[in-house]
Amino acid sequence: MTVSTSLSRTETLSLFSLSAACVGIIANTFQGDGEPLIASIAFSGIAYASTYALIRWLGDVFMRAGLKGRDMSKTRTDEIPETMGAVCAVVYLLIIIVFIPFPFYKDIVMATSGGGNRDLVLEVQHVETGRLLHRFPHSKLSSYLSAILSIQSVVLLGVGDDLFDIRWRHKLFIPAFAAIPMLIVYFVDFGVTQIVIPTPLRSYFGALFDLGWLYYAYMAAISIFCPNSINIFAGINGIEVSQSLVIASLICLNDALYLSPFTEYPHPATDSHLFSLYLLLPFIGVSLALWAHNWYPARVFVGDTYCYFAGMIFAVVGIQGHFSKTLLLLFMPQIFNFIYSAPQLFHIVPCPRHRLPKFNARTGLLECSTAEFRKPLSPLVSAVMRLMHRLRLLRIVENDAGQITESTNFTIINLWLVWFGPMREDRLAIGLLTMQTIVGLVGLFIRHRLALWVFTADNLHYTYSSA
Ligand code: UD1
Ligand code: MG
């Protein structure tokens, strides 16, 4: 299969009509109050169309720049463009930068002419002395800008990694630096470092427990975890983009629960959930365009750039939207994969450069990939691995002397193959994604329904009576 670099007639026509319709919708929002949510949806349509076209046009350019990779799970040996996440990230950043005035349209009008009355002529010294500008929600703007800054920094890391293959132990901590702008805004604006204690434990700790600086460490840890956990749950066509799309859609679903048809009165958390939607909708737009090219059989690879970019967006919306625990519920498969991978990540057992499943060219199916152990493993590690083997959490091969010489790689993707046997790449991806969607939906259900068992109130059903 050759990679076609131009758009077909139908594609050009559909992308063009989509963009034209979206531009029309955006122009229309100026008639009313700016309607930021509608504008955001329209911007996401433009993001989709532009990313789709650019991925196609820039494929060759990326290949010439050396950004390419071989699909290890196919019989063909030619290379395809990699780092297409960079295209997504650039389109995304441009779109959310252009979008900045929209959520603030009402405030700008109010702040500049008073009471939303646009035909009132203001004397310039009133504006400049800030007498009216104080109404402008600077804190909301700084959240938005710091989010952009954090995402942008992590994209730089991702591109650097795709170009130079940065060592794991170095790249692990870079997202923590990228998170600093966002954490400072959190400190200045919100500064809440207390956590609500579940009811059964209240007699020991009280209702609230102040984590202090540990809360910032926790948020930095989330910023490190989200990007990296997506990058290690990778290696089969479409899995990186699809898992990000599932997480993004579930967060949007959770955000929607806080908006008007679902809550009776303006909910106090409406603004932070709108903020999350403004950041996620264009992300879904660019990701769908990438998905169309990265799903089995992949025509492009997403690169580490995409994994970091996606993970950082989730960290940013989770932290600034004040729902980091709900976010972690939606990261269950990634958390499992990380814990399961830990022995290899921390080199307790050897870790090959690639842990993606092994392609069997004869059957066309993917099989578990394995790590070989030349040196004998310590008795404790061997014992644990034998137990895991018996529990079907791993598959090991022992030699005549009873030493473990080989085991399947410690990833959730390989574990799926241990459980369900060899399968085609797309069926493997669909299986894992279905599991992820079900786990996420159950997580959200637990979050909103069963949370009342351990907490006195679920913040979705907010009441004005004091807690
Ligand atoms: C992470 C994983 C590694 C996995 C790799 C695959 C850890 C610690 N690292 O490394 O085990 O093998 O991702 O993405 O868990 N590729 C395919 N098919 C795909 C996607 C990627 O063959 O669907 C190959 C291509 O050759 C591509 C390369 O993987 O060029 C990309 O690997 P890279 O993202 O650089 O690996 P890491 O993120 O370092
Ligand atoms: Mg990667």
Side-chain angles (χ1 to χ4, degrees):
M1 187 179 68
T2 51
V3 183
S4 94
T5 53
S6 55
L7 296 166
S8 72
R9 247 177 81 116
T10 352
E11 281 172 328
T12 314
L13 260 175
S14 344
L15 293 178
F16 184 76
S17 343
L18 174 66
S19 312
C22 291
V23 171
I25 294 172
I26 294 169
N28 229 348
T29 59
F30 285 110
Q31 312 261 296
D33 277 341
E35 305 293 354
L37 193 55
I38 309 261
S40 175
I41 294 171
F43 272 115
S44 310
I46 297 180
Y48 172 84
S50 337
T51 311
Y52 194 103
L54 283 171
I55 287 178
R56 212 50 91 65
W57 293 332
L58 294 178
D60 277 347
V61 182
F62 274 56
M63 297 268 283
R64 262 181 271 136
L67 296 168
K68 54 190 176 180
R70 195 180 86 72
D71 196 333
M72 295 187 232
S73 312
K74 303 287 180 300
T75 33
R76 49 184 252 260
T77 50
D78 54 337
E79 291 177 308
I80 56 175
E82 186 145 2
T83 322
M84 279 303 159
V87 177
C88 292
V90 169
V91 172
Y92 174 84
L93 286 167
L94 288 178
I95 291 281
I96 56 168
I97 287 171
V98 174
F99 180 69
I100 295 175
F102 286 80
F104 302 102
Y105 184 68
K106 251 204 282 218
D107 303 303
I108 293 171
V109 171
M110 284 232 286
T112 48
S113 73
N117 203 351
R118 268 173 287 173
D119 30 52
L120 190 84
V121 180
L122 260 195
E123 285 176 28
V124 92
Q125 74 265 24
H126 284 169
V127 178
E128 284 178 351
T129 51
R131 246 191 259 174
L132 290 155
L133 277 178
H134 71 279
R135 291 202 200 116
F136 187 83
H138 286 285
S139 61
K140 244 165 72 182
L141 181 61
S142 60
S143 297
Y144 198 83
L145 294 180
S146 72
I148 297 179
L149 192 54
S150 290
I151 296 167
Q152 212 163 31
S153 317
V154 103
V155 169
L156 274 181
L157 157 75
V159 175
D161 187 22
D162 279 326
L163 281 172
F164 309 116
D165 237 334
I166 305 176
R167 289 253 182 98
W168 266 92
R169 59 172 174 273
H170 296 148
K171 69 183 178 193
L172 203 64
F173 294 99
I174 302 181
F177 290 95
I180 290 175
M182 167 175 83
L183 296 184
I184 290 182
V185 170
Y186 186 92
F187 176 73
V188 174
D189 259 15
F190 200 66
V192 174
T193 53
Q194 288 149 331
I195 51 167
V196 181
I197 301 289
T199 329
L201 301 175
R202 287 200 175 164
S203 48
Y204 308 106
F205 299 101
L208 290 176
F209 184 77
D210 191 8
L211 279 180
W213 66 270
L214 272 178
Y215 199 84
Y216 289 90
Y218 158 73
M219 290 188 291
I222 288 186
S223 323
I224 296 176
F225 177 76
C226 293
N228 284 300
S229 69
I230 293 180
N231 193 22
I232 62 171
F233 187 0
I236 55 174
N237 290 178
I239 199 86
E240 298 96 327
V241 196
S242 313
Q243 69 182 296
S244 307
L245 278 169
V246 170
I247 297 173
S249 315
L250 289 172
I251 303 179
C252 286
L253 173 71
N254 184 54
D255 289 333
L257 295 177
Y258 290 83
L259 301 185
S260 79
F262 298 101
T263 43
E264 283 163 27
Y265 25 71
H267 191 279
T270 299
D271 265 357
S272 42
H273 287 281
L274 276 174
F275 170 87
S276 151
L277 283 173
Y278 298 153
L279 289 181
L280 286 173
L281 292 173
F283 172 73
I284 292 180
V286 297
S287 296
L288 282 174
L290 182 57
W291 186 90
H293 295 90
N294 181 241
W295 184 252
Y296 178 89
R299 287 185 281 175
V300 303
F301 285 135
V302 303
D304 291 344
T305 311
Y306 181 81
C307 304
Y308 292 131
F309 163 62
M312 198 62 185
I313 291 184
F314 299 141
V316 165
V317 299
I319 291 172
Q320 297 213 347
H322 314 300
F323 55 87
S324 58
K325 277 175 276 140
T326 310
L327 178 74
L328 290 180
L329 268 181
L330 301 179
F331 264 81
M332 279 306 188
Q334 287 76 9
I335 294 175
F336 175 85
N337 189 46
F338 173 75
I339 296 173
Y340 185 58
S341 294
Q344 285 194 318
L345 294 182
F346 300 114
H347 293 288
I348 298 168
V349 297
C351 179
R353 166 68 183 90
H354 279 291
R355 304 191 295 164
L356 49 85
K358 198 172 74 203
F359 177 62
N360 183 333
R362 203 171 44 79
T363 58
L365 303 179
L366 292 188
E367 298 167 359
C368 299
S369 63
T370 53
E372 282 178 35
F373 312 127
R374 298 220 174 78
K375 280 187 241 150
L377 297 167
S378 81
L380 179 67
V381 173
S382 306
V384 173
M385 283 173 67
R386 274 192 205 102
L387 179 68
M388 288 173 71
H389 176 80
R390 209 160 304 144
L391 296 173
R392 295 205 39 182
L393 286 172
L394 198 68
R395 197 185 294 145
I396 57 172
V397 176
E398 288 173 296
N399 63 11
D400 299 336
Q403 276 172 354
I404 302 176
T405 52
E406 198 181 299
S407 92
T408 52
N409 280 312
F410 295 65
T411 67
I412 197 173
I413 303 180
N414 279 305
L415 184 57
W416 199 261
L417 293 171
V418 170
W419 285 344
F420 302 109
M423 60 179 90
R424 216 173 77 166
E425 198 170 355
D426 52 344
R427 277 202 42 218
L428 176 57
I430 291 170
L432 286 161
L433 293 164
T434 312
M435 177 274 294
Q436 188 200 353
T437 313
I438 295 172
V439 169
L441 285 172
V442 171
L444 279 186
F445 180 76
I446 292 176
R447 164 73 188 76
H448 290 297
R449 288 275 160 262
L450 309 186
L452 291 170
W453 286 358
V454 283
F455 293 107
T456 45
D458 172 23
N459 61 8
L460 184 56
H461 303 288
Y462 180 89
T463 51
Y464 283 99
S465 64
S466 62

